[in-house]
Amino acid sequence: MSAALRDSLDVNQKPAFDESITKRQYHSYQPYSNVALGNNDEIRIAINQQDLYTFPAESYLYMQGTINKPATVTEEVLFVNNGAMFLFDEIRYELNSIEIDKIRNPGTTTTIKGYISIPHGSVHRYQNAGWDSDGNKTGTFELCIPLSHIFGFAEDHRKLIINARQDLILHRAASDVNALKTAKDGCTVTLNKLLWRVPHVHVSDAVRLKLLKTLDSRRSLSIGFRSWECFEYPHLPRTTKVSWAVKTSSHTEKPRYVVIAFQTKRKNNITADMSKFDHCSITSLKVFLNSDTYPYDPLSIDFSTDKYSVLYDMYAAFQESYYSGDRSENSPLLSKALFKSEAPIFLFDVKLAQEAVKTTTSDLRLEIESSINIPESTSAFCLVLHDKMFEYNPLSGQVNKLL
């Protein structure tokens, strides 16, 4: 007998209502300076009041801005897909002045992560965050960007943050050229408003008493998540074989997934779309993690004859593996045809390799092969999703990194 059928027999069961949360309201936090939002500025937004229960996992950035073009530019100016993230060169989140999570090159990092993570059924919701393959054709824009689109911390750590100071720091990029696409240079982006909107949670007396006992116990609370770290090889050599030593890290920083993408003549080029990637006639790519090799069998890819089914299958299987059924719909964002034309991504699941790695360090290396010489001005990006672990003490304010 199924559990649902068995429950249907209990006619005396009374409905239960969860009243542990009595109220949840969004509060807006502004930067220290509302005028220092231009290129090269550091934008710091702080939550100084510590006697709060906040839920940063469901917070978001509210952004208003204007796309400016000089009179000499008569062509249409597009805000590229995920263009708001290309306005910054670094974003980080701090807890009690200790860095918890940080992404460099947030435009490319969150674009790659978005292509592999956003379910197809949620594409309309993410349009509100600037995820629009057709681009924003108007002179103004208004966006709500979930913090879970920016940090692995916000995506994975779905717990209240209690009795702690929080800071969100954004560094504006020196140029807006990567956020825009048009026929001529000279266009810029002006940020008119930037707010961090964070849910404040009010709980029932029973839950409040439980949380106060946690504070009195002086017990540290854990923060575990998967961080997104993006590495760049700015100019690949014009050969058919390239070896790239990506990073050497401590064994505690366990890589879970390795994602590789390529771009040719797109960076700092306003006539090209920085949110798209190129296949560069890659025929094979191997990931070496110490003594382990991924994939075991060599990839035999030929984009010229549309032989990339194995590559697409690795891409399409990511959401089910990464989110473990937490999402109602684990369907890839891109069709097979769009995968080739917009984001031919090489995605490797390496999380099971860690059981066999006994050394104190992990060496990550890539071997890339192409059917022709890699085109001039081609960059490679390697996004590594790896574990991070912190603990913080709500009473003393101390924050320690464990992983």
Side-chain angles (χ1 to χ4, degrees):
M1 183 184 297
S2 68
L5 183 59
R6 187 165 54 250
D7 290 342
S8 69
L9 301 178
D10 189 0
V11 295
N12 294 314
Q13 185 179 19
K14 295 182 179 180
F17 300 96
D18 186 357
E19 297 180 347
S20 54
I21 296 178
T22 59
K23 185 168 64 173
R24 193 185 77 159
Q25 293 180 327
Y26 277 88
H27 289 241
S28 298
Y29 292 90
Q30 299 184 7
Y32 283 116
S33 173
N34 285 318
V35 295
L37 303 178
N39 297 117
N40 293 315
D41 283 336
E42 179 182 278
I43 305 167
R44 181 179 290 267
I45 308 175
I47 303 176
N48 291 311
Q49 189 177 352
Q50 297 185 13
D51 57 339
L52 297 172
Y53 301 150
T54 63
F55 193 27
E58 292 191 0
S59 67
Y60 63 88
L61 285 177
Y62 175 79
M63 189 182 301
Q64 286 183 3
T66 306
I67 300 173
N68 312 304
K69 64 177 184 178
T72 56
V73 178
T74 58
E75 294 81 6
E76 184 177 59
V77 181
L78 297 180
F79 206 29
V80 302
N81 183 28
N82 197 36
M85 289 291 95
F86 288 97
L87 299 175
F88 306 95
D89 56 23
E90 182 182 288
I91 307 176
R92 68 181 187 268
Y93 171 83
E94 295 181 354
L95 193 68
N96 292 335
S97 300
I98 301 298
E99 180 185 297
I100 300 296
D101 204 3
K102 176 174 70 174
I103 59 169
R104 299 184 183 91
N105 194 357
T108 300
T109 302
T110 59
T111 299
I112 295 175
K113 182 62 168 56
Y115 277 129
I116 64 178
S117 292
I118 296 176
H120 185 268
S122 300
V123 66
H124 294 304
R125 179 188 178 187
Y126 278 89
Q127 283 179 342
N128 196 46
W131 192 274
D132 190 348
S133 59
D134 293 330
N136 188 319
K137 301 178 178 63
T138 64
T140 61
F141 60 89
E142 180 191 40
L143 302 171
C144 294
I145 306 173
L147 208 67
S148 58
H149 179 64
I150 303 173
F151 293 122
F153 156 77
E155 184 179 48
D156 291 339
H157 186 69
R158 302 191 60 80
K159 305 288 185 181
L160 295 179
I161 297 295
I162 61 176
N163 208 46
R165 173 193 166 95
Q166 301 171 71
D167 291 272
L168 188 65
I169 303 99
L170 305 94
H171 291 265
R172 276 294 304 270
S175 170
D176 302 324
V177 65
N178 289 322
L180 304 172
K181 182 184 177 183
T182 188
K184 296 179 182 178
D185 287 327
C187 301
T188 60
V189 175
T190 300
L191 283 183
N192 301 318
K193 180 181 289 189
L194 183 65
L195 302 175
W196 184 19
R197 304 205 68 216
V198 183
H200 286 199
V201 177
H202 299 259
V203 298
S204 64
D205 291 340
V207 175
R208 182 180 295 275
L209 181 61
K210 184 178 179 181
L211 293 175
L212 289 174
K213 287 182 178 179
T214 299
L215 286 174
D216 291 339
S217 69
R218 299 179 180 271
R219 187 177 65 195
S220 294
L221 305 179
S222 297
I223 300 176
F225 59 96
R226 293 162 294 189
S227 185
W228 316 337
E229 191 171 10
C230 190
F231 300 88
E232 181 181 358
Y233 196 137
H235 299 285
L236 291 175
R238 298 199 64 193
T239 61
T240 58
K241 293 185 178 181
V242 177
S243 180
W244 178 15
V246 179
K247 70 172 296 190
T248 298
S249 62
S250 65
H251 176 50
T252 55
E253 282 190 5
K254 298 180 180 180
R256 296 301 186 179
Y257 298 85
V258 179
V259 191
I260 302 99
F262 303 88
Q263 286 184 334
T264 300
K265 296 181 179 179
R266 293 184 182 274
K267 190 172 184 178
N268 298 325
N269 180 6
I270 202 166
T271 63
D273 191 335
M274 190 62 185
S275 67
K276 302 292 191 296
F277 297 91
D278 306 291
H279 59 71
C280 299
S281 300
I282 302 298
T283 57
S284 180
L285 200 155
K286 279 187 175 293
V287 174
F288 294 87
L289 188 60
N290 286 3
S291 60
D292 291 301
T293 306
Y294 292 86
Y296 181 79
D297 293 326
L299 291 174
S300 297
I301 304 166
D302 188 350
F303 285 100
S304 64
T305 58
D306 288 337
K307 293 181 179 178
Y308 57 94
S309 295
V310 173
L311 195 65
Y312 182 77
D313 186 71
M314 295 162 66
Y315 159 76
F318 171 79
Q319 290 185 21
E320 184 176 355
S321 171
Y322 192 78
Y323 296 104
S324 303
D326 290 340
R327 294 191 170 190
S328 59
E329 181 185 1
N330 286 322
S331 59
L333 178 67
L334 301 173
S335 66
K336 188 176 179 181
L338 286 176
F339 174 79
K340 176 185 176 181
S341 62
E342 296 189 4
I345 290 170
F346 295 75
L347 197 155
F348 301 93
D349 183 342
V350 301
K351 61 180 180 292
L352 297 181
Q354 301 311 305
E355 299 302 325
V357 176
K358 301 300 182 182
T359 58
T360 57
T361 60
S362 296
D363 294 320
L364 177 61
R365 181 170 60 88
L366 307 180
E367 286 192 358
I368 306 164
E369 296 184 17
S370 61
S371 59
I372 60 175
N373 286 340
I374 293 175
E376 185 180 359
S377 301
T378 295
S379 302
F381 301 95
C382 181
L383 176 63
V384 181
L385 311 180
H386 61 82
D387 293 343
K388 269 192 175 182
M389 180 75 74
F390 291 83
E391 65 177 14
Y392 75 101
N393 190 302
L395 193 62
S396 68
Q398 186 174 3
V399 180
N400 296 315
K401 184 179 180 182
L402 303 180
L403 291 181

